[in-house]
Amino acid sequence: MPTQTNALGTANEFIARHIGPRDADTQAMLDLLGYADLEALSTSVIPDSIKGTSVLDMGPGQSEADALAAIKAIAGKNQLFTNYIGQGYYGTHTPSPILRNLLENPAWYTAYTPYQPEISQGRLESLLNFQTLISDLTGLPISNASLLDEGTAAAEAMTFCKRLSKNKAGNAFFASRHCHPQTLDVLRTRAEPLGIEVVVGDERELTDASPYFGALLQYPASNGDLFDNAELVERFHAAGALVAVAADLLALTLLKAPGEFGADVALGSAQRFGVPLGFGGPHAAYFATRDAFKRDMPGRLVGVSIDRHGKPALRLAMQTREQHIRREKATSNICTAQVLLANIASMYAIYHGPQGLTRIAKRVHQLTAILAQGLAKLGVTVEQQSFFDTLTLTTGARTAELHARAREHRINLRVVDDQRLGLSLDETTTQASVEALWAIFADGQALPAFAELAATIPSRLPTALLRESAILAHPVFNRYHSETELMRYMRKLADKDLALDRSMIPLGSCTMKLNAASEMIPVTWAEFGNLHPFAPAEQSEGYQQLTTELEAMLCAATGYDAVSLQPNAGSQGEYAGLLAIRAYHLSRGDDQRDICLIPQSAHGTNPATANMVGMRVVVTACDARGNVDIADLKAKAEEHRERLAAIMITYPSTHGVFEEGIREICEIIHANGGQVYIDGANMNAMVGLCAPGQFGGDVSHLNLHKTFCIPHGGGGPGVGPIGVKAHLAPFLPGHGHLARKEGAVSAAPFGSASILPITWMYIRMMGGAGLRRASQMAILNANYIARRLEEHYPVLYTGTNGLVAHECILDLRPLKDSSGISVDDVAKRLIDFGFHAPTMSFPVAGTLMIEPTESESKEELDRFCDAMIRIRNEIRAVETGALDANDNPLKNAPHTAAELVGEWTHPYSREQAVYPTASLVDGKYWPPVGRVDNVFGDRNLVCACPSIEAYQDA
Ligand SMILES: *Cc1c(COP(=O)(O)O)cnc(C)c1O
């Protein structure tokens, strides 16, 4: 594309940097496909019925320098006050080596979810460390590898208790009024469609536990109180109820663990372990439970297994993905989680170690105790006798005045109600901060003498709640305390993994495109990182401008009228979207509409989401060409016309095709009273070419971590905003800190706000024409691969002109019959060529789905196609008997360096094993383990770092 020039004459080279192929390459690829230019190709791919509906009108793109200057100006409108608001969000120092070598390092942030364990051992090890950290601090043996935020983790705990409780008659969930308010909001949203009654009350006044199947307590309480919950937990247990405890990780270094006082679940946020506030996210939540409940755990579980050579190797245990997002009996719709943030938290714990963490916790507690004592001296009423880091002050009629005075000193206190203020201290609090707080309340009195108080201050932690068990005894938490050691440990782990900084990741449906450095740079600016999500609105004007502009950009890209940025993953967008549909029907008195049609080919999150809003899933068929069987759809829509709530349909389809019938499908649903949910995960094929809001969609989610350049982070963070037509706008998620107060689906009003600059930068730099060009190039790259590979592997589905959309499915089932080689073997053999496998067996078992994105150059596409063709030739050799049916490079892949230097017994050469193409000699990726044995790991489930004894034995 010709370099764009803006009004000032600065060159915009970004579009050509984001897009992989050069102009000559583009022409060569078009020639192969028989199209004169990109317009001719996209005209041929996009069905006439939806063409020309695009409304992308947002002017030309800006250069990287200009866009960075523009977003810097926006960032400057955010004001950084010192925060004591707490409520689940605390100041923290991200250790500089972790900031630089992990958070800002593409080796960590551009990786995908570790579904291919052989190329993911580094981040799997880091996640196993996270699980060990959580399990240790909570006193519960099984911890998952992160959830989306504390609020949604609490909601998962509620449905978890419901499934596992022995009190089957109980339909109420007790939620302590001492929980964080946003947690209660998310719980209420989640409970309502499931018919669960959330009873918010004071646990100390509980008279009868029998109505409850479960309970949620906060530890320490949101207002700062520290209660001994042991007896209460017993009462709930006696009634057959399970108890979940939302606990603060830093406090747990000093306090008795939830598992030690009987809790069945512990959950919470790992934010204050080194993850910036970020105006609310992204942060990792944790979830831990007893061994007996591990099979019902939401989210992913990393486990230890062995590889083909009997060496220890890590992988996701119990096929966690399939387990939780199955069509029937889905227990959760979590797909993307918060891997990058969990890794930051776990490295923070590794760097500080048990002594360091305890020291931080003690310091925070002592400063809080000193502050409390001094406030008492100044005549301020502190409500708590016992506390960790949070105080509630009875300020009576002076509440507003004191709050305002604090703000004049650039200090944010928490407004509890019109009679009380709250404050929470954290790792960043100092003596000077305590004195500044005293000054606000002193009213001309002399300030207490800090040193004098500090010398004699007693602990305010109740003796009965003091932790007696040791924490983090494992060597990993006791070894990397110098920066040199930590830096090398992070490097060692990163080197084990394949991320986008090494090669293309052709995962269909995942859109592993460039995450440009200019897009990433603003994310770690303090102006975006250090804002508390509940800071007064006038301090977040930068964020308000950013979100308002981004909403408008996304409306333009989708043809919708309104957008909510709150959902923090695609799955959560689906959930928010179906909630909007449900609320719309209810608002019209259509209470009976509870049927959701979902085509056979749907992503697992779709039916899981429908379950979560209490809808009944009716599956509709696909025809032989992979398209929705319209006759079947029409029959089912008419059969259920009285109760039809919605359809959830992915477009272009998960089969990688622009279905001709999409308009007709939408019309059928509308004619029968339903609403159309278009899953926008495949939006990368459409931006600037057609718009779901204009061809019949009522609501869609977008995955900003797919189409709009937020990196996958090794399995999160993500952002899953939804766009809606105007009639659904009143039902978009609300929040206690937004105009609409109810319906929160995330803990923070703007979900994962601090990564929104990435998408803003991308759209700003590409402009309307650049975005359209990117979609066309994504389609070109996919069709180029399909054309180059079709004589070797049949392409399963194509549209009317023999073209695919932005991804293609290769059918490997015939090869299994002719050679015994499976998709798994091909996926693992690709590792020997230095590639991450395409998506395996989704949406059709025995196939590979390839999505190259617009960012991959023709060289890289050719390198990949050459590898696939060589692999096909190896399969041919197996078919003819030239290679042994069992002992061949495919069955044995991937090959490790260790295997190479051992005794070589295979009937093929070492060269063929590890250097199947000569070019690999320069820059070979060596997998650290051989093929991982999943069955062994599931039979011998180990989900924390192996014990110290095991280390000593080794
Ligand atoms: C990725 C994907 C989702 C789920 O998105 P997450 O962000 O992982 O929750 C839903 N539908 C389709 C078709 C997808 O590809």
Side-chain angles (χ1 to χ4, degrees), residues 333 335-336 509-510 569-572 574 603 605-606 650 654 679 681-682 701 703 705-706 842:
N333 70 348
C335 179
T336 292
S509 212
C510 301
S571 62
Q572 305 303 295
E574 292 174 26
H603 192 271
T605 52
N606 290 181
T650 305
T654 46
D679 179 325
N682 290 342
H701 78 262
N703 305 67
H705 48 297
K706 293 177 179 173
F842 169 77

Side-chain angles (χ1 to χ4, degrees), residues 42 182 327 378 427 475 480 555 568 594 601 623 689 726 801:
S42 58
Q182 71 274 15
R327 181 162 318 203
L378 293 169
E427 186 193 359
Y480 305 107
C555 282
N568 42 24
D594 66 348
S601 58
D623 65 18
L689 298 173
N801 293 311

